[in-house]
Amino acid sequence: MPVRSALVVGGGFTGLTTAIALAQRAVRVSLVDRTAAWARVGHGLTIQGNALRVFREIGVIDEVLAVGQPEESVTLTLSDGTVLSELNTPRTGGDDLPATIGALRPDLHEILVTKATSVGVEIRLGLELTGHESHGDSATSVLSDGTTETWDAIVIAEGIKSRTRPTLGITEERSPSGLGIWRAVTDRTPQMTGGIGFPLSDDGGAFKVGYTPVSATQCYVFVLCRPQRPDNGLDGWQEVRRLMAGFHGEYDFLRESIGPDTFLNFQEIEWIFADQPWHRGRVIALGEAVHAVPPLIAQGAAQCLEDALLFAEHVTREGDWEQQLADFYARRIPRLKGVVDASLQLARWEQNPGDPDADPARVMAAALAALVAEP
């Protein structure tokens, strides 16, 4: 029996895209999120072509391209400015879409919220899932306001810190990657079209610095470093400048553009990959609740969006729920494993500058090339 009603828990990219894709297939969808109100917060994102393909499928590609900055390649350099290679990004979404775009997270989130509302998704903020129970062809949800409701399916899209994940029998937990990341949005010059810089040695600075244009005048900057911020008395912007001190060329401009008024975010990078079934009964986890990786090939958001669309396609067809999900996993798990393996290999190399076996350009190109075929 196809799914005709669903509760989606979590209002990030995974949850909103799942809700939209289900609603477009005649499913009655309610989405809940713990936040009391949407806020325009967040940094920039690098969005690969296979994510753009999903945006096209759910009918928001024009809006997404309007707020994004297209990018076809990225320049890999050493920290002294020596060019290693020009990596032409594989068109993982097909030849009719940009290889990559840079965009601001809040812009994309607003587009998805607007689309969800327009296709009839009920959005309820300030609520959490506190309990669930499956009953054959249905599942009951208990929300933090005491509401109890019955659905054909409950989708958990709570992210890597999901508290519901263990209740589904998933034994994997999030693990440290050995990396931390600073993110910022700052100015760029018109000549700056996207780059990644690698250090010449481990001098206590950044493991890697990169940037992606997000508009004609701005870019998203990321600085990979050790996972714990040192107690050195520096403000955030001063710490970022310290980490970038050994990076030159375009990175001199970026470093000096970061100051006391720059919005900065720091976090330890964790990862998780559950290669077992993600559901128990009629409750299933999707997206970063079951697969989150270091953002080293910019596939985190894309893989979450692919989850959402393919899940909606499978469970709204006639057929047996367990077989539908078995078919879904058969398409998702091998594809995700390639992303996970490449991301973790790159993370290991980031922490060991000068490793003679390191070949990030090859690994990045191969991992993205493997995603050109549709999921």
Side-chain angles (χ1 to χ4, degrees):
M1 181 181 72
V3 167
R4 288 291 175 253
S5 67
L7 174 69
V8 177
V9 183
F13 288 178
T14 305
L16 283 166
T17 305
T18 303
I20 292 165
L22 288 171
Q24 289 174 328
R25 290 162 174 79
V27 178
R28 176 175 62 86
V29 183
S30 183
L31 181 147
V32 297
D33 191 278
R34 68 174 61 184
T35 189
W38 302 129
R40 276 193 60 85
V41 296
H43 46 77
L45 289 171
T46 304
I47 301 295
Q48 300 282 3
N50 52 321
L52 297 178
R53 181 165 53 207
V54 176
F55 286 140
R56 181 176 61 193
E57 289 298 315
I58 64 171
V60 296
I61 188 62
D62 291 342
E63 293 91 333
V64 168
L65 294 179
V67 301
Q69 185 74 16
E71 179 184 342
E72 300 299 327
S73 65
V74 60
T75 304
L76 307 184
T77 68
L78 294 176
S79 54
D80 64 0
T82 301
V83 175
L84 295 173
S85 64
E86 185 78 15
L87 178 61
N88 292 317
T89 308
R91 290 181 174 269
T92 55
D95 291 339
D96 56 342
L97 289 170
T100 304
I101 68 165
L104 296 178
R105 179 182 290 271
D107 287 344
L108 298 178
H109 190 263
E110 287 180 359
I111 289 169
L112 291 175
V113 170
T114 300
K115 184 65 174 182
T117 302
S118 74
V119 296
V121 175
E122 176 192 36
I123 296 177
R124 295 180 283 172
L125 300 181
L127 293 174
E128 298 180 59
L129 182 73
T130 59
H132 62 82
E133 186 174 351
S134 289
H135 316 278
D137 289 340
S138 66
T140 299
S141 62
V142 181
L143 300 180
S144 51
D145 64 354
T147 302
T148 300
E149 299 164 317
T150 299
W151 311 90
D152 291 341
I154 299 174
V155 177
I156 307 302
E158 297 171 329
I160 191 172
K161 296 181 180 180
S162 171
R163 291 181 288 186
T164 309
R165 178 174 56 238
T167 70
L168 303 181
I170 298 171
T171 57
E172 289 87 354
E173 256 301 346
R174 64 187 198 269
S175 301
S177 69
L179 298 173
I181 187 168
W182 285 93
R183 295 179 171 100
V185 175
T186 189
D187 296 333
R188 72 176 178 96
T189 68
Q191 294 75 33
M192 296 171 64
T193 57
I196 298 174
F198 301 90
L200 290 166
S201 62
D202 185 1
D203 59 1
F207 290 136
K208 182 169 76 176
V209 178
Y211 74 94
T212 297
V214 295
S215 74
T217 59
Q218 289 192 307
C219 64
Y220 155 54
V221 178
F222 57 89
V223 179
L224 288 178
C225 57
R226 289 162 179 78
Q228 287 79 38
R229 182 175 172 183
D231 184 14
N232 55 15
L234 298 180
D235 290 336
W237 67 276
Q238 294 171 318
E239 174 64 5
V240 172
R241 283 192 173 190
R242 181 190 73 80
L243 291 167
M244 295 179 65
F247 291 75
H248 301 294
E250 295 178 328
Y251 301 101
D252 289 315
F253 177 89
L254 292 175
R255 183 180 59 253
E256 295 306 312
S257 73
I258 293 171
D261 296 328
T262 305
F263 173 76
L264 292 162
N265 170 266
F266 173 77
Q267 67 181 114
E268 179 181 1
I269 299 174
E270 298 178 306
W271 70 279
I272 186 172
F273 177 48
D275 60 359
Q276 59 184 291
W278 303 337
H279 74 288
R280 173 171 285 178
R282 286 279 175 154
V283 184
I284 184 170
L286 298 177
E288 290 193 337
V290 284
H291 56 81
V293 295
L296 303 179
I297 57 172
Q299 273 293 310
Q303 293 305 310
C304 292
L305 297 177
E306 287 186 356
D307 272 6
L309 183 61
L310 287 177
F311 171 77
E313 289 179 356
H314 278 74
V315 302
T316 53
R317 302 168 182 162
E318 291 291 340
D320 174 72
W321 167 262
E322 291 293 334
Q323 186 59 53
Q324 289 170 334
L325 292 188
D327 294 342
F328 170 71
Y329 297 138
R331 294 177 68 177
R332 297 302 297 140
I333 298 296
R335 188 171 173 93
L336 286 162
K337 189 177 187 307
V339 172
V340 171
D341 289 348
S343 299
L344 294 180
Q345 176 61 76
L346 290 168
R348 288 189 289 269
W349 282 338
E350 306 293 0
Q351 297 166 65
N352 295 281
D355 185 329
D357 295 324
D359 192 352
R362 176 185 60 80
V363 169
M364 292 168 66
L368 292 174
L371 300 172
V372 171
E374 293 193 28

